Amino acid sequence: MPAMSRCRVCQHALLEFFDFERQPLSSAFVAPDGTDDEFFFRLAVGMCESCALVQLIESVPPELAHHEGYPYHSAGSSVMTKHFEETARRFIETELTGPDPFVVEIGANDGVLLHTCGEAGIRHLAVEPSGAGTVRVHRAFFDAASAAAILATDGPADVVYSANTICSVPDLRPVFEGLDVLLASDGVFVFEDPYLGEILERTAFDQIYDEHVFFFTVRAVQALAERFGFVLADVERLPVHGGQIRYTVARAGRRTPTPAVAELLAEERELGLTDMATLEAFGRKIQGIRTELVALLHRLRAEGHTIAAYGATAKSSTIANYCGIGPDLVPYVCDTTPAKHGRLTPGSHIPVRPAAVFADPYPDYALLFAWNHAEEIMAKERAFREAGGRWILYVPHVHVV
Ligand code: TYD
């Protein structure tokens, strides 16, 4: 470990503002007999003193971090499917209007976006080391070499898109080098990831885990784009995954930034989003939520209530481990993902059971780990509340509904 942690982009010092201490890999669901050799690392966050990019202090060794390539997102959410279909339609109307447009997605995200583009007759390609999904895939990480290979076979890309992936790529230089190779002169790089502003506003500290290396702001993304010869041309707030921003990046001089960029920059300044005092206050709120949530769970258990969790999300790894929530407090978590069934949540060792177990019988209280899908899940599980069940939420504060 270096004596001082440095910004992954500009190499200036990182100013640490919160330490979650020892945490496991958020996607490393363990077999019941495999808990002896779990990997733990120090999960802590800091801000670059120069470019203000908020990021993890420590990196997970690459062979452990991306053993299956880009984190493969299958949120099991109809809202997300609709989101990607709508994004595809928007690209088709705005960016993919030339005679023979070409769209590339970094990380496959179930292939919904590319599939929708394909149905409209648009050439498309996923760049994804694991090759998962149903669409055409170039099996590689996105960098200058893979971009050159794609350019040779398919020509320049009008849109390079990426959702929930760029924030998890520790070294962004190769990504921008690849964009420089592959993007058409008027092409755009569009990516969307959790927004630091939203995380702070909601105290959604569970967005901080091993796979989320960067917590972007408009200020930091603008600096990042300019550093690599690009311009931040547009920003748009998105409601998905608890609040994200979609950034549109173009080659320098090719697009005039929309007023939305200056507006959000001004809002960030006003909120003091990248002031250490704001980030330290966020840290104190995190501690407050832990105290309240743990007290509530202990009280409910002491009163004889049954509690289950809902959604074995990656982000719940931080909540469970930081708050010390294990099977003694929450005996199981229900989830729709077959690969997680029969396994234990990383570090906290809560058994994962199929979604059907939830109603058989309903617990008295359900701790909603998948709070980013709250609306969809509460609608689907209406019968739970009708039967007298109550949801426990901890975003933006601990409450029972
Ligand atoms: P996701 O939203 O990708 O969050 P993270 O990146 O933190 O893992 O994961 C959602 C998880 O919740 C996934 O394991 C599937 C599960 N889930 C359900 O069990 N039921 C549902 O109705 C939904 C929408 C998700």
Side-chain angles (χ1 to χ4, degrees), residues 207-368:
Q207 295 281 12
I208 303 169
Y209 56 88
D210 58 328
E211 287 173 15
H212 285 174
V213 176
F214 296 115
F215 304 90
F216 294 125
T217 55
V218 178
R219 177 182 167 192
V221 171
Q222 187 178 55
L224 176 71
E226 287 171 7
R227 185 174 184 85
F228 293 112
F230 291 80
V231 61
L232 177 60
D234 192 25
V235 288
E236 182 190 352
R237 294 189 85 141
L238 303 172
V240 295
H241 282 301
Q244 302 202 326
I245 286 192
R246 174 179 291 161
Y247 303 92
T248 300
V249 169
R251 290 185 186 274
R254 304 303 300 195
R255 298 218 181 179
T256 308
T258 62
V261 176
E263 282 165 21
L264 258 179
L265 272 176
E267 189 180 309
E268 289 182 355
R269 263 195 307 273
E270 207 168 299
L271 291 171
L273 198 57
T274 47
D275 294 347
M276 277 304 273
T278 309
L279 298 169
E280 283 160 2
F282 168 58
R284 288 190 291 277
K285 284 195 195 167
I286 294 174
Q287 289 166 332
I289 286 183
R290 170 166 71 174
T291 305
E292 269 189 61
L293 181 61
V294 171
L296 173 67
L297 295 174
H298 277 288
R299 179 170 66 75
L300 294 175
R301 289 293 281 186
E303 289 170 0
H305 295 295
T306 53
I307 309 174
Y310 199 107
T313 52
K315 63 180 87 56
S316 64
S317 172
T318 298
I319 285 283
N321 286 286
Y322 173 66
C323 297
I325 301 170
D328 50 332
L329 272 181
V330 177
Y332 60 97
V333 51
C334 296
D335 193 282
T336 49
T337 317
K340 296 178 186 174
H341 299 157
R343 296 196 160 246
L344 309 176
T345 56
S348 51
H349 303 160
I350 303 172
V352 186
R353 306 225 172 117
V357 167
F358 187 57
D360 190 23
Y362 285 128
D364 299 328
Y365 289 86
L367 180 59
L368 188 53

Side-chain angles (χ1 to χ4, degrees), residues 10-318:
C10 74
Q11 314 308 323
H12 283 83
L14 293 179
L15 309 170
E16 184 172 324
F17 61 84
F18 201 79
D19 183 0
F20 291 94
E21 298 176 0
R22 198 171 160 268
Q23 295 281 329
L25 303 179
S26 60
S27 298
F29 288 84
V30 273
D33 60 357
T35 55
D36 291 344
D37 56 353
E38 275 186 288
F39 175 84
F40 289 88
F41 76 115
R42 189 175 81 94
L43 180 70
V45 267
M47 178 180 70
C48 173
E49 63 174 3
S50 173
C51 75
L53 181 52
V54 171
Q55 54 199 281
L56 297 188
I57 299 285
E58 282 190 18
S59 288
V60 166
E63 66 278 12
L64 292 173
H66 290 302
H67 53 102
E68 289 176 53
Y70 298 119
Y72 180 62
H73 285 276
S74 179
S77 157
S78 57
V79 171
M80 287 314 296
T81 301
K82 195 159 156 260
H83 171 76
F84 290 126
E85 286 168 354
E86 280 172 6
T87 305
R89 278 194 285 274
R90 174 100 77 86
F91 285 150
I92 292 166
E93 282 164 19
T94 56
E95 302 291 345
L96 300 170
T97 54
D100 183 20
F102 177 42
V103 55
V104 170
E105 184 172 2
I106 304 175
N109 278 299
D110 286 357
V112 175
L113 176 122
L114 293 182
H115 182 76
T116 309
C117 289
E119 282 191 327
I122 288 168
R123 291 186 300 123
H124 57 280
L125 180 69
V127 186
E128 157 83 63
S130 68
T134 53
V135 292
R136 196 178 144 232
V137 180
H138 181 87
R139 285 194 175 80
F141 283 104
F142 186 81
D143 56 17
S146 58
I150 297 166
L151 184 73
T153 53
D154 297 77
D158 301 285
V159 173
V160 175
Y161 173 70
S162 195
N164 300 305
T165 298
I166 297 305
C167 72
S168 67
V169 178
D171 188 3
L172 291 173
R173 175 175 290 278
V175 173
F176 279 90
E177 286 171 353
L179 290 168
D180 197 28
V181 170
L182 186 61
L183 267 192
S185 54
D186 277 324
V188 283
F189 172 45
V190 180
F191 67 100
E192 51 199 56
D193 282 300
Y195 179 42
L196 182 72
E198 202 82 45
I199 293 171
L200 262 58
E201 194 185 319
R202 300 188 193 210
T203 321
F205 66 87
D206 56 347
Q207 295 281 12
I208 303 169
Y209 56 88
D210 58 328
E211 287 173 15
H212 285 174
V213 176
F214 296 115
F215 304 90
F216 294 125
T217 55
V218 178
R219 177 182 167 192
V221 171
Q222 187 178 55
L224 176 71
E226 287 171 7
R227 185 174 184 85
F228 293 112
F230 291 80
V231 61
L232 177 60
D234 192 25
V235 288
E236 182 190 352
R237 294 189 85 141
L238 303 172
V240 295
H241 282 301
Q244 302 202 326
I245 286 192
R246 174 179 291 161
Y247 303 92
T248 300
V249 169
R251 290 185 186 274
R254 304 303 300 195
R255 298 218 181 179
T256 308
T258 62
V261 176
E263 282 165 21
L264 258 179
L265 272 176
E267 189 180 309
E268 289 182 355
R269 263 195 307 273
E270 207 168 299
L271 291 171
L273 198 57
T274 47
D275 294 347
M276 277 304 273
T278 309
L279 298 169
E280 283 160 2
F282 168 58
R284 288 190 291 277
K285 284 195 195 167
I286 294 174
Q287 289 166 332
I289 286 183
R290 170 166 71 174
T291 305
E292 269 189 61
L293 181 61
V294 171
L296 173 67
L297 295 174
H298 277 288
R299 179 170 66 75
L300 294 175
R301 289 293 281 186
E303 289 170 0
H305 295 295
T306 53
I307 309 174
Y310 199 107
T313 52
K315 63 180 87 56
S316 64
S317 172
T318 298

